Amino acid sequence: MQKLLFWSISVSLAGFLFGFDTIVISGADKTLQALWGSSAMFHGVVVISAALWGTVIGAMFGGFPTNAYGRKNTLVAIGALYLISAVGSALVSDPYTFALFRFIGGLGVGASTIAAPAYISEIAPAASRGRLVALYQLSIVAGILVAFLSNYLLRDIGPNAWRWMLGAEAFPALIYGVMITLVPRSPRWLVMQGKPEEAGRILRLADPQADVDAYVAQITSGESTRTETLFGAKYRPALALVFFIAFFNQFSGINAILYYGPRIFENAGLESNAAFLSSVGIGVVNLAFTLLGMALIDRLGRKQLMYIGSVGYIVSLGMVAVAFAFSWSGMAVPIFLFLFIASHAIGQGTVIWVFISEIFPTQLRASGQAFGSSVHWVLAAIIPALTPQLFSSVGPAAVFVLFALMMVGQLAWVFLKMPETKGQTLEELSAKLSR
């Protein structure tokens, strides 16, 4: 089991880079807008959202290398993309080249949401799959926390502080690049490639107590045929599930809040240093409640965590809207946003990548995750891109009311449509959901 844990942690570090890359821009947000004299629309759509549009492309097409060249090889390439993006973004001097390097990093983020959860779900036993795949989300929030903290520590080192903020990602990218070379290939992918003996050897290393021959036989019998397509009638229920969990994830407003945390806190009346420090608080709360979600996901199950998160979303977002509507000053908005982050971390944050990685058969898993990740990241690109304009036109209160209403919709969807997936093998789940 030690090898299994090491492999899972190594792969999940792709999530650390995802979190760091996504959030590090928040520290440079206002500086870059002032440096290049950008309008709110140009700044949101080009400078800020370039990485997110790269993420969309990475999510849309990341399923192809994940299937064709393997989960491991794709994860190695992802590390190279992060490194190039970090170094390039720190060295440029115009918004268009900056956007290009941020786009390259976004490709890595998008592809990692397919390859990393797929790898861990395929190597993990059913009883601990939720916790192990959730390591990816834990790494994401750890990356978010480190990015917020790094931004806070580097904020006053001079006019080029933004370069150091963005370039700092190169160090974890190098560490990840070394560690990922030490993991084996996915056993389920090897079975798909007609290499059951190698798959069996890796499964024995991962879980010496398992009946590996029976396990390989189950994987083989559970394979979809090569003529099946993701968009056939058989897989429409699974596609609908991943669409809606990704849709509601982003209409909570999570990426808008993470990207513009310091700006939101300043709008709520906090001075600049306090706004940055409150953003660090978001990272701490996110990490703490992700750990709680990991501890509960294989006990309570995915659906129960989504119930908890949905109720927390509705309460917290509603109170943030009220705070802005009535111009409450002080720590009101940060406190309610901390509650929002806690609700996200224990619910959607812990569940989404686990759930999407569980419900498709081996040959269609990467394609199914690409579909869910694409929905997630298209919305993650659009919503933060429009946030500065919406804040200045309709105001923060109206924006947070919209997010709260969408979470009422999520609560209804969880109650009516979302199945429980804990404790079942990947083959059992794909058979059940493709009937």
Side-chain angles (χ1 to χ4, degrees):
M1 293 297 288
Q2 289 182 341
K3 289 183 182 295
L4 174 63
L5 183 60
F6 174 77
W7 297 339
S8 299
I9 290 172
S10 298
V11 171
S12 73
L13 287 178
F16 181 93
L17 292 163
F18 163 175
F20 194 102
D21 187 88
T22 301
I23 297 307
V24 70
I25 190 67
S26 68
D29 168 30
K30 298 185 75 173
T31 300
L32 292 178
Q33 186 173 5
L35 178 66
W36 292 321
S38 306
S39 67
M41 182 60 73
F42 180 90
H43 181 66
V45 173
V46 177
V47 177
I48 295 296
S49 291
L52 286 170
W53 289 114
T55 302
V56 171
I57 301 301
M60 285 182 172
F61 298 102
F64 170 73
T66 303
N67 267 340
Y69 304 112
R71 284 59 163 146
K72 177 180 176 177
N73 289 337
T74 303
L75 289 164
V76 171
I78 286 167
L81 292 173
Y82 281 130
L83 181 60
I84 292 168
S85 174
V87 175
S89 299
L91 296 177
V92 300
S93 298
D94 69 274
Y96 297 102
T97 312
F98 178 85
L100 173 63
F101 280 109
R102 291 288 294 160
F103 179 86
I104 290 171
L107 293 175
V109 171
S112 81
T113 61
I114 299 168
Y119 180 96
I120 300 173
S121 71
E122 290 178 353
I123 204 167
S128 58
R129 187 176 61 242
R131 293 191 298 276
L132 290 175
V133 178
L135 281 171
Y136 178 70
Q137 178 64 20
L138 178 64
S139 291
I140 292 172
V141 301
I144 289 171
L145 173 58
V146 172
F148 276 137
L149 184 60
S150 173
N151 287 347
Y152 176 72
L153 295 174
L154 294 170
R155 72 195 187 285
D156 291 329
I157 65 171
N160 287 320
W162 66 271
R163 296 186 186 275
W164 291 98
M165 291 177 182
L166 291 156
E169 186 182 353
F171 298 104
L174 285 170
I175 294 170
Y176 165 78
V178 172
M179 291 183 69
I180 202 63
T181 62
L182 303 177
V183 306
R185 293 185 287 182
S186 161
R188 278 182 168 83
W189 183 80
L190 288 168
V191 170
M192 190 173 70
Q193 301 300 308
K195 300 177 179 179
E197 295 83 6
E198 186 177 352
R201 180 182 60 80
I202 294 167
L203 287 168
R204 287 186 183 91
L205 290 172
D207 186 3
Q209 306 303 317
D211 185 347
V212 170
D213 292 334
Y215 200 37
V216 170
Q218 184 184 33
I219 295 171
T220 304
S221 65
E223 277 193 82
S224 58
T225 65
R226 293 186 182 275
T227 58
E228 286 183 335
T229 64
L230 183 65
F231 295 99
K234 184 176 180 180
Y235 297 108
R236 285 175 190 165
L239 284 173
L241 289 171
V242 299
F243 174 87
F244 280 107
I245 196 169
F247 175 88
F248 286 122
N249 182 286
Q250 285 304 302
F251 267 99
S252 70
I254 181 62
N255 270 42
I257 291 168
L258 291 177
Y259 265 62
Y260 299 107
R263 183 185 293 239
I264 292 170
F265 290 134
E266 287 186 33
N267 286 347
L270 274 67
E271 55 95 20
S272 179
N273 281 349
F276 268 93
L277 194 56
S278 294
S279 296
V280 176
I282 282 180
V284 172
V285 172
N286 203 358
L287 182 63
F289 279 85
T290 297
L291 286 168
L292 180 58
M294 285 179 61
L296 296 175
I297 190 168
D298 286 319
R299 297 180 185 179
L300 298 183
R302 290 60 160 151
K303 189 165 183 171
Q304 294 302 316
L305 294 188
M306 289 291 288
Y307 278 132
I308 295 169
S310 296
V311 173
Y313 273 149
I314 294 165
V315 173
S316 59
L317 289 167
M319 293 308 298
V320 172
V322 170
F324 274 112
F326 291 96
S327 301
W328 291 353
S329 60
M331 290 299 294
V333 168
I335 288 170
F336 296 139
L337 284 180
F338 290 164
L339 176 59
F340 167 83
I341 293 296
S343 303
H344 175 81
I346 202 170
Q348 271 272 11
T350 298
V351 171
I352 181 170
W353 305 117
V354 176
F355 187 76
I356 291 177
S357 72
E358 291 179 319
I359 59 178
F360 294 100
T362 300
Q363 285 188 257
L364 298 177
R365 182 163 296 113
S367 300
Q369 286 185 249
F371 173 79
S373 295
S374 297
V375 173
H376 176 278
W377 288 114
V378 166
L379 293 173
I382 292 172
I383 294 171
L386 298 178
T387 297
Q389 187 66 34
L390 288 172
F391 274 11
S392 61
S393 58
V394 303
V399 174
F400 284 104
V401 166
L402 171 63
F403 291 151
L405 290 174
M406 294 304 296
M407 293 303 94
V408 174
Q410 174 177 277
L411 182 60
W413 172 77
V414 172
F415 177 73
L416 295 171
K417 294 293 185 180
M418 183 178 176
E420 183 54 71
T421 60
K422 72 168 183 174
Q424 302 170 70
T425 69
L426 297 178
E427 289 69 37
E428 289 169 345
L429 287 170
S430 63
K432 181 184 297 184
L433 293 172
S434 62
R435 288 173 184 168

